[in-house]
Every structure is written in structure tokens, then in C-alpha cells.
Amino acid sequence: MKRALITSLLASVALAGAAVAEEPIRIGITQNNVGVDSYQTTYEKAFIEAAEADPMVEAVVLDAGGDVARQIGQVQDLVQQGVDAIIIWPTNGQAVVPVVRQAHQAGIPVVVTNSQIAEAGFDFIASFSGPDNITQGQYAAEMMCDALDGSGRVVQIAGQPGYTTAIERQKGFEDALAEQCPDIEIVETQPGDWNREKAQRVMENFLTKYDDIDGVYSGDDNMGVGALNAAKAAGRDDLVFIGATNFAVGYDAMGRGEYWGSVYQSPVEDARNALATAKSVVMGEEVPFLNYFDTPKITQDNMSEYDRPVF
């Protein structure tokens, strides 16, 4: 059923693409919360640069500031403007489904970027462009398994509760660890809200409660470095740290031998992929429903193959 709907949508936007072939394609984007972390800031900069470099594209760039009500209003405004496509970085994957349906019913294709919306909205979007967060969690579990030789006790610091990326990475990590390394126990999981200072406090509490943990998995390196700072302050230099979305601080900690591994993810590629996906949809080109870009494992052993992140 999903494929039939997508095919129907592509057919309709193909006609729209033909109609706008002589004019710039107007693509509106509403982002999650630019400035809250360096990844989103770098993403926005790359998106604007890619749009400005393409004479076929005219971009309307908006930021919801982490406010779901504001983001819903932005999507409604883009619908009123009659843009050719809307890209949304959901502030809340469930709450934005109704307004995504409104855009779909208005004949405007919607591309979800970076973090997926709830499955109830899948019939109303043209494509998802971003990382495969389930696979990223699986990669983290594989690295943890290697680092601990298949046994040990770990704690987990997840992202913001309710945020799809956090949910998917946690699920990928927990499922893969249970399947591949059943002798590694997750003793406790707490949210770090993508915030380094909060993750450091969470880790301080973990260290007070548990004196026999061996590893820490964090939903991104920003939180992972917060946990690392707590461990260093407590004199615990025997723990394995694994994260995701390799930030510059994680890359540097890896280079010092303090951080085992992460998952490499480029905000520049993320932004360019979203813009290219939206443009292809408007032009009537077929795109994968789940249009993932590559996010390989990065460890102390292979980090020299990757540039230091700029965020």
C-alpha cells in the first residue's frame, strides 16, 4: 500500500515538476532547533550553501527553535505560500503527523530529514532522508561487544525522551547487544537530552550507584564526552566509551585514547542529501522511501581515514 501511494505521489509531482521546469523550485525547510548543538548549526550552513549553489533551487529556511507548535505553524505557512516541497526536521515525530498530512492533502510533497516521524505519518511523506539510526545503534553494540570481549556491565545515556532518533538508536543498541553479546548486561539507562552537562550529571550518579561497570554507550558523542569528563573526575580511567554522531570532541578524545569508538555522521552530507531528495521528488524522479546516507563505524584503529569533524 505504501509503495502504491508513493508511486501515485511521484506521478503527481512529475506533472508539477514539468510545470515548474522553467522556474526555480521553491523548497521550504523547517528545522528542529538550530544553535542547540553544533551539528544542527553546521547542517543549516551546508543546506543554505547547497541551495545557493543550485540555480534551479530557491530555499525558504526556517527554524522551529525546538517548539512543536511553532513548527506546525511554519509548515502551515509554507503550504499557504505554495512551495513545491517541504523538508521537515521534526521537533516531535508524533505531534507533526497531522500537519504533514495537511501538506500532503494540499499536494505538496514532504521530505523528512535526519529524524523520522511516527509510522502513522508514513503514508503522507514522499521520503525520509537521513541516517539509519537503528543500524547506528547496532554498530555501537558491535563495537561494545568487541571492546569488552563479549562480557561485562554497561550503562546507557540516551537522547531526548520521545525523540525518534533517540528511540531508534536505543532500540538498535539493545536488540543487537542481546542477540550478539548476551553476556553484556545493560544495568541502567537514563536520558541525557543530547546535553553534555546533563550527561555528565547522569554519569556522576551512575558512578555513585555502580562501582562495577565496564562501559558506557551514549546516543551521541556530545553526551559521551560529558560522561567521559565525569569518569575522569572520579578517577575511573578503566571504562570503555562508545557513542554516535562523531563530534569533534569525540574525535579528539578518541585520538587521546580515552574514547573507544563512535559512528561517523556528516551534517554536511545530511543537509545535501535532504535537498537533493526534495529536488528529485519535485522533478518527478523516483527516490527510495528510506533514503539513507552512509554512517560507518569509526574507532581508534581507523580514525585516520576520516577528517576531524567540523562540529
Side-chain angles (χ1 to χ4, degrees), residues 160-181:
Q160 182 180 349
Y163 192 68
T164 304
T165 295
I167 295 169
E168 291 182 339
R169 287 182 185 169
Q170 180 174 342
K171 176 175 174 51
F173 179 74
E174 293 176 353
D175 289 353
L177 205 61
E179 179 180 348
Q180 300 179 32
C181 279

Side-chain angles (χ1 to χ4, degrees), residues 6-63:
I6 295 167
T7 303
S8 174
L9 177 59
L10 289 174
S12 63
V13 297
L15 295 174
V20 301
E22 302 301 324
E23 299 178 0
I25 297 169
R26 297 192 72 226
I27 298 175
I29 180 171
T30 167
Q31 300 163 105
N32 178 11
N33 197 2
V34 176
V36 70
D37 66 39
S38 50
Y39 185 95
Q40 294 193 36
T41 303
T42 306
Y43 177 107
E44 182 183 72
K45 181 173 183 289
F47 185 91
I48 292 172
E49 288 177 351
E52 289 180 345
D54 190 336
M56 293 182 62
V57 170
E58 180 180 307
V60 180
V61 180
L62 304 170
D63 175 35

Side-chain angles (χ1 to χ4, degrees), residues 127-148:
S127 180
F128 167 76
S129 167
D132 182 343
N133 289 299
I134 293 285
T135 297
Q136 290 197 357
Q138 293 170 347
Y139 284 170
E142 291 167 3
M143 287 187 282
M144 186 67 77
C145 195
D146 290 342
L148 297 182

Side-chain angles (χ1 to χ4, degrees), residues 262-287:
S262 184
V263 181
Y264 198 83
Q265 180 179 318
S266 166
V268 174
E269 189 173 1
D270 198 356
R272 290 174 179 171
N273 202 52
L275 182 64
T277 301
K279 181 181 174 182
S280 293
V281 169
V282 175
M283 296 299 290
E285 299 168 1
E286 188 165 359
V287 298

